[in-house]
Amino acid sequence: MRDLVKEINRIGVFTSGGDAPGMNAAIRAAVRTALYNGKKVTGIYHGYQGMIENSMFDMDSRSVSSIIQKGGTVLKTARCLEFRTPEGRATAYANVKAAGIDALVAIGGDGTFTGAEIFSKEYDIPVVCIPGTIDNDLNGTDLTIGYDTANNTVIDAIDKIRDTAASHNRLFFIEVMGRDSGCIALNAGVAGGAEAILLPEKETAIDELIEMLESGADRNKSSMIVVVAEGDKNGGASNVAKRVNEKFDYYDTKVSILGHLQRGGAPSSADRVLATRMGYTAVNELLKGNTRITIGVRGSDMVTTPLEEALSKKELKLNEELVEIAKIMTF
């Protein structure tokens, strides 16, 4: 979306919501691109909470030295209930204005995007959003920052669990993150050779799952791995394992919930490059006079999507061909 071009002298940069590997690379790119173009930069700690608490500081090129390889976010993050109120946003704007900030680069997920959309409309401040979430569940982009790294983390865990599963003739249910998105479960499950993958988007009955496991047992598989997305309609890995074990006890059954380790660790090369391209593009779009847009990637091209469209339009990101491949690979 193109707004009336306003002179931008200082850009505020912040991260909000759940952290994701690669956020630091995006911060670094946004800061250095702004400085290269003769603009000043203010870092905002703890996202919207930092705006309300006036936790801000000047950033220069050295502020982002040696952070591209680090997980998490050097600007910290938080979920801010106060920002959802008009009074909270009024306080935030007063502090942003007092800091001399003319535009914002917001890095985060759908909650971050929603807050940016409302804030920008209420106070007519330009904002560009960068998708940073391991869930890969945002519209307007094929990939989000952190998704590739999280996938690699899960695959590494599956490989390690497979070793002990095979040694003990065990059935492992591995729960992965993704909220209502099965992207991590599907891709990591296929890459890790899982015998079954339970996805929020595809309801799998327990009886159907047991049939799949019995088929594997009949083929004398020494171990089996079932990857369960945390948003699966059967209630998560622990509940699925309990229900399966009541009817199918051929294997010694174990549950492993990977949890927040999926958010940590050094970002992959792919995430570092993606985040750098997005940070660079976000600042350049602001300087062109564009506002209330998200940055994304389609194929190899950087694209923009109006925030309103990104928040309202739903995209099914599951690769249906990969879902079919996952079934075939169990034989």
Side-chain angles (χ1 to χ4, degrees), residues 1-253:
M1 175 179 176
R2 180 173 292 278
D3 199 3
L4 294 175
V5 178
K6 299 177 181 179
E7 185 176 5
I8 294 176
N9 294 310
R10 182 179 289 274
I11 297 174
V13 180
F14 68 95
T15 53
S16 177
D19 61 292
M23 280 184 165
N24 285 326
I27 294 167
R28 174 179 177 268
V31 169
R32 291 192 170 173
T33 302
L35 294 173
Y36 178 83
N37 285 280
K39 308 303 178 182
K40 296 177 181 177
V41 181
T42 294
I44 304 169
Y45 279 126
H46 299 290
Y48 295 119
Q49 191 69 43
M51 292 184 195
I52 292 173
E53 296 176 351
N54 201 23
S55 182
M56 309 181 194
F57 67 105
D58 288 339
M59 299 187 77
D60 57 24
S61 185
R62 295 304 93 197
S63 301
V64 291
S65 294
S66 300
I67 68 169
I68 193 171
Q69 78 281 8
K70 294 181 179 179
T73 163
V74 296
L75 290 179
K76 310 299 182 183
T77 184
R79 302 187 190 277
C80 182
L81 294 178
E82 191 176 355
F83 192 79
R84 298 182 183 180
T85 68
E87 296 78 12
R89 293 192 296 273
T91 299
Y93 179 70
N95 290 331
V96 165
K97 185 176 181 180
I101 295 172
D102 305 305
L104 293 168
V105 171
I107 307 168
D110 56 358
T112 302
F113 286 16
T114 300
E117 168 82 350
I118 295 170
F119 194 53
S120 179
K121 284 184 174 179
E122 281 184 343
Y123 294 102
D124 195 28
I125 183 169
V127 63
V128 171
C129 292
I130 295 174
T133 169
I134 68 168
D135 298 341
N136 198 39
D137 61 350
L138 296 178
N139 300 323
T141 186
D142 293 340
L143 298 169
T144 58
I145 295 170
Y147 172 64
D148 183 72
T149 305
N151 257 308
N152 290 335
T153 298
V154 173
I155 292 166
D156 183 61
I158 291 174
D159 289 347
K160 288 180 168 63
I161 289 172
R162 176 78 71 180
D163 291 342
T164 187
S167 298
H168 293 273
N169 202 45
R170 283 174 174 164
L171 164 61
F172 265 89
F173 291 86
I174 303 176
E175 183 174 300
V176 302
M177 297 178 84
R179 201 170 50 179
D180 298 322
S181 169
C183 286
I184 291 177
L186 177 59
N187 284 271
V190 170
E195 278 68 32
I197 305 170
L198 303 189
L199 308 168
E201 299 90 342
K202 304 282 185 179
E203 188 167 357
T204 302
I206 295 297
D207 288 343
E208 180 183 350
L209 174 60
I210 291 173
E211 286 181 11
M212 296 167 63
L213 298 176
E214 287 177 338
S215 175
D218 290 342
R219 296 194 303 277
N220 297 316
K221 286 197 171 187
S222 62
S223 66
M224 302 190 82
I225 299 286
V226 177
V227 174
V228 184
E230 63 181 350
D232 174 68
K233 295 177 177 61
N234 288 301
S238 295
N239 188 58
V240 172
K242 180 181 178 181
R243 293 173 65 187
V244 167
N245 205 41
E246 289 172 353
K247 300 181 179 180
F248 177 74
D249 59 359
Y250 181 83
Y251 297 99
D252 180 17
T253 301

